[in-house]
Amino acid sequence: MTRHLSRNGRTVRALALATTLGAALFAMAACNDNKFLTESPIDFVGPANFYKTSGDALAAVNGVYASLENTTGTNYYGGLFVMLVEYPTEMMTPYLSAGNERSLVDNYTFTPSHNYIYQSWASAYAAINRANGVIENVPKIQMDTALRSRVVGEAKFLRALNYFNLVRLFGGVPIETQETTGLDSLQKPRNTAQEVYALIVQDLQDAIKVLPPKSGYGASDQGRATRGAAKSLLAKVYVQRGGTGVGDKTADYTAALALLQDVDKNEGYSLVQNYMDLFDGQHNDNPEVIFDIQCINAPNLGCHLSSQDAPRKSNYGSSQNGSFTAELPFFNEYKTTDQRRAATWQLTFVDKSGKVQTWSSSQSASGSYGADAPYMRKFLDSLSTGNDARNYIIQRYADNLLLESEAINELSGPTAAAYAPINQVRARAGIGALPAGLNQSDFRDSVFHERRMELVMEGPNGYFDSQRNWTWASNRIVANMLLGASTKFKTSKYPKADPFAAPPIPDKYKLMPIPQRAIDINPQLTQNPGW
Amino acid sequence: MRGMRRVMCCVSALAFTTLLLGGAPSTASAQDGATGGKISGRVTSADGNAAVANVSVTVVGTRLGTRTGADGTYTIFGVTPGTHQLRAALIGFAPSEQPVNITAGGSATANFTLTRVATTLQQMVVIGYGSQRRSDLTGAVTTVTPHVEETPITSIEQTLQGAAPGVQVTTASSAPGGGISIRIRGGSSLTGNNEPLYVIDGFPVENDPENSSPTDAGRDANVTVPPNPLAAINPDDIQSIEILKDASATSIYGSRGANGVVIITTKHGSGSKPRVTLDMYTGTQSIAKTYDLLNAQQFAQFANAWAQAQTTPSTPFPNVDTIGVGTNWQNLIFRRAPITSAQLSVSGGTSNANPTQYSLSGGTLQQEGIVRGSDFKRVSMRGTLDQSVGSRFRAGSSLLVSRVNSTMVPTDGSFNSGAGAVGAALQYIPILPVRNANGDYTLMSTDYPDYLASLGLTGGNIPNPVASALDVQDDLGDTRVLASANGDYKLLPWLTFRANVGADLSNRTRDTYYPRTTLQGMALDGRAIRGSLANTSWLNEFTLNLDRHIGSSQSIQAVAGYTRQTFTSTRESEANSQFVSDITGYENIGAGTQVGGPTVSSGKSRWALASYLGRINYTLLDRYLFTLTGREDGSSRFGANNRWGFFPSAAVGWRVSEEPFMRRFTAFDQLKLRASYGVAGNPSIQPYQSLTHLTPVSYAFGGSQQAGYIPTTLGNANLTWESSKQLDIGADVGMWRDRLNLTADYYSKRTDNLLLAVNLPTESGYTSAYENAGAIQNRGFELGVTLDVIRGDTKAGAFDWTTTFNYARNRNKVLDLGGVNQIFATSINSDIKSSGSLVQVGQPIGVFYGYKTAGIFRDSASLAAWNAATRMGSGSAPTLGSERFVDVNGDSVIDANDRTIIGDPNPKFTVGWQNTISWHGFQVVGLFDGSYGGQIMNLNLYRLEGASPNGNILASRYYDAWSTTNPNGKYAKIGSGIGFLGSDFTSDLVESGSYFRLRTLTISRDVPTQWLHGLASTARLYVTGQNLHTWTSYSGFNPDVSSLGVSNLNRGVDIGAYPLARSWIFGVNLSY
């Protein structure tokens, strides 16, 4: 009996111990769980602790600049966007086999699935979302009010630039003016081109009010959007809107002209004497550049076009794609006295064995120069290691001058006032004045021709200029293609397939197709006509 | 809400303990009774008369019973007087019974001699926080016993290949130490991890091979598939593997159980006499299959044919006859490679009042890969120590230390500069030598012959395969320590408290150097990347285990516990380029002169999991089985609102064979029907995904760098687990004294709240974000059969044949994608912008997507008819001998809207079949496995069926191309592209991935004892052939492939995959 009691007692004691242990453990655990499970960022910055200081405001707007080149690599101004705008002209060709992505753009055989179209779309919208973040959040920061307005103005300038790229490529696109913070209702239909232009104009007008002139920035802030840049870009926006029939032609050209004259008078830009200085990397802070992408040779801080420029057989840079060669007829339009000829095209380069290779008309792809026509030279940085120290020029004063000639001619014909700006550009190039007495149409074509000669590879402008003078551009492109078809080695443009059996280029090409991938994801988007 | 949960937990904890207390008095009184007699005895094994420990000796029909000690002895007190049937049972032995007569207060002796048998029913099965007799299982659990000494394998997952129904093993890379992917009952997550949870001796290890990058010492998305994180564990140390498949079995692992659970139990010491074993093998591996490509002369003929087909015909190679065979790039990078392994282990124990059991082992493995330059070395050491202190307390510990050094060769990859050695070897043109006259490696882009370049062709910018294989240094190191210590305290004979503390520490490094002789290092004058990743995971676990009989007809087993686990990961990486010389490789990162200095980065992340768990198994009359399981998990990986989740399950089993009406059917050892239903989760995503991330960038204003921040990840505070509800209905049948065992299961699993990286409209500024959206269903049937076809006494040398067969079919269907109809996979790589795969509602996961083709135009009539009705959106018109695209949507234009589903990588069923035949000390084991109905997108063909001579092609592509003289040619005419349109693929690249493979064939011979002269007590010699034959129509190296890793999107794609090795291995097992 005692034994039973003792067994019983042991059982009770053991169970009591178990109860205590269990209860204590569970209670202890339950009461600490929430602290134990709280997740807080260790190695990154979250939105909760951002947009607090002026440093955050600057960091946020710097991020928008970076989206032009640094954070998109070659997807935007670093390559694909530039190719998408420059190849479909009669100026340059990638000189690759017909199925190559670049050739598809060059030959008008691209489809809505083409990657360059999608990447340009995505890159512009990524920049727009970042700019929206600045425009929305920075005004709430307690900081120096002048700096605060400037930062917001910079963001509006950059938002306008990106929408301008979109509206020129695609026509009307969805307008986003709020930073994306959640996943709800992200599928929006397209706005009209008019609505997009209205937003661009509004943003730039706002920016003009708050941005400082170029002299208002210190040396370490060169490259930020200036008042002059905002005015110049707005002028270009008006010209494009009026020139493509989206806006009222007279009103838009009038507004553009007023802005261009304002810039002439008040912003202090001038042509540099030596055209080559614009591209040699030694004269970045020159009085001609209005807005450019600033690049240095350091990881994630460089531009990316140089490796596309570098001749295939050269020893320049980290890779040599030779993706931009002149179309021979276009190159032949440069007079030998034109200082732009050697500054734009690589008439010589150093090959892998250290020998200097020189372009001559007898050269072909199989020869020592490696191409039928000269390689592009602008933005070539032969010392690049994948990060080029060559600022990519988006707009400069010569562009403004040519826009001015265009505007005056459209408004009042080829007057002396219309001749003056273009002749300034021609004089600097060393090719003398434009023949006097041209009619309005011939004068227009001459201005566009001058834009091609002066601005090839910059901007980019090529395809966008074509949109304003479609017949002229189309005829030139088709002529080169036909020439290419009949005498392959006289022009590097590959023979074009069916659509050009009967020129001109079909009208659907006046706009790029909405990227198929964008439509796949957002079925609210409608495709452009003809695609 | 959280407070509420806390209170609930406390209350339930109290309730549990109160329940125990409440049960106590009756328990105690049950112990009362008249003073009984004492039975004692010893249990020995029939083979060798050794003492057998841990045998359960029970008085049949009572609750009385005990287990034998290390010396095999036992004593049972308090036996009521009379004649009893005494039963001794232990897994692996035939149970034995004998009558014992006992008088009041008297004592009796009953010794048992047990015979070893392989009986499945009595087997104890580890089920997570406990174990159960197989006959009592209500869940779907498969046990795999790896016989590493019979079939040498190098990694745990290989054990499962073909071994268990419903377990699909895919080789992501056949490289030594390469990634292997396991799917239990199909994929249930789209973007999250689909690998099962591994529980190694009680320590849960999440194996997410996708979660690493080279800078984290892990995967390089372009050129390699993920290294295998479990490669550090020596399979020779494994005792058994249990695979938990249904919800009843997995819900005890709560939020991590949805992909199934693989429980790995390692070897512990046993017996009393030290036992020494030595297992050694050595062998050689060679490539199982190569592509038949053009040699130099054939390539020249092809180039001529191509040039003749151009607008301006020419003949680039006028003197074809003088061109030899050129360079066979495949031969140059593949080799015959040795493999050797040795493992020595000692185990044993002491038998006294406080018995000790120990085991110690050490092993090495050295494996060279069949691609030159790749190898794998592992050194592992393991020790376990179990110490009992009296009968109530037992402490155990185990320690595993391993070190892996492997050298990787970039193989899988893209087409151009990103191509790996294998991909490059396939494309590289045979007319180029390995090196130029000046000794430098040739490069196809620069050394491409001028006479071809002049035709407008350019050689692909791909690396020299030999330079990639030999000169790229890519070294992986992995040090892993898995340690655990536990203590069991028997509060009562039926109630045990267990505390378990464990740590899993790993330190992985990956150091890469691309010297200037390689394409990647050439332009940068050498490039070095060093990455390291240190992971630390801690586990604390407290459980109470209850094991009681109530009367003679009921029994309860229950477990309740609280556990916490944390995982901390820190990583560092540094990269530099512009090295003055290649001599220092990656060892001196400071020697690089990259502008701006070396690129460095570091990071840290942490997750934590707190859980309350419980399970009750109730058995009535030994035939009605009930299981209730639940786990409440709190995870730091989700937003505060959705941090806690509850995962319950219930199961019933009916052992029909125990019913009285079944007694007539003596053929049945067992007939059990099971059903279970429950929920398990999948955390799927990486820490911090619920938060928006801002990432630093910079911009150079006026040449001076200024810092910036950009939002890169769009956060979602509502993220929560993927939850899988699963119904399982199964039957276990054992017949004719264990001669036939059959297990069949039907299951239906629905996973909701899928964590999707949903493609966002790019207009948002983001390309994707994580959301809980959508549902997937997996339904299937599994069958496992083991049959002793001919049962002979192997001791006596009689003929014995056992066959094991398993079959599993799984139908996978996407039910919902959260409002969208389809989600595209990310584009394949920088060269291939197409997604290749997509997920579409109503379809299986990850189907291939692209254009459909229907042969080629062989006659002008059909061409004209097609042209009259249809046109290409690109504007080009098809010609005779070119591909015929299918106008899927019937709008007369071939454009993006004609893209459709062109293949499905999910197999319709998989099988495994093992045969073991023994005769006179010889044994033959043959393991076959197969997969039927899955397809592969063979992207190698994108180039190997290419149109123009800018890279090498398949011999058949040239010889069997359509032409007017070969009107029945299989391929489009020379010069006409195959396999793609724009940047999308066509159905030409999709091939059947069905195969049936003789995976291993082992012939072994036990060396007769008299030949050993006492040098060893047993000895066995064997020879094994692996991957001896594969029956398949797949044209690539290996139909069991997934180049782009193991994620459910982009599955079943082959781009330059590391080829399969065929190996012959000779080995010996010795024991003392």
Side-chain angles (χ1 to χ4, degrees), chain A residues 7 15 33 43 70 297 318, chain B residues 24 31 523 562 595 604 612 698:
Chain A
R7 280 171 64 99
L15 287 169
D33 278 345
D43 61 358
N70 299 353
N297 183 352
S318 49
Chain B
Q31 296 284 333
Y562 174 71
V595 178
K604 180 175 181 177
Y612 301 83
S698 30

Side-chain angles (χ1 to χ4, degrees), chain B residues 418-442:
Chain B
V422 174
L426 299 180
Q427 298 175 50
Y428 217 89
I429 53 177
I431 48 175
L432 284 180
V434 177
R435 290 172 188 274
N436 278 326
N438 65 3
D440 291 345
Y441 285 113
T442 56

Side-chain angles (χ1 to χ4, degrees), chain B residues 923-978:
Chain B
Q923 194 181 46
V924 180
V925 180
L927 172 63
F928 298 83
D929 73 339
S931 168
Y932 176 79
Q935 287 167 316
I936 297 170
M937 184 172 274
N938 186 355
L939 293 184
N940 295 306
L941 300 181
Y942 183 71
R943 286 288 160 88
L944 297 181
E945 294 181 351
S948 54
N950 45 17
N952 205 358
I953 60 167
L954 290 177
S956 56
R957 168 70 178 101
Y958 170 59
Y959 288 109
D960 201 12
W962 180 94
S963 68
T964 44
T965 53
N966 186 22
N968 295 319
K970 176 183 171 194
Y971 295 101
K973 66 182 171 187
I974 298 294
S976 186
I978 297 182

Side-chain angles (χ1 to χ4, degrees), chain B residues 121 657-658 666-671 734-739:
Chain B
L121 290 181
S657 49
E658 304 304 305
T666 49
F668 285 95
D669 308 326
Q670 152 109 323
L671 173 59
M735 293 180 79
W736 303 306
R737 297 163 145 262
D738 217 31
R739 191 153 183 176

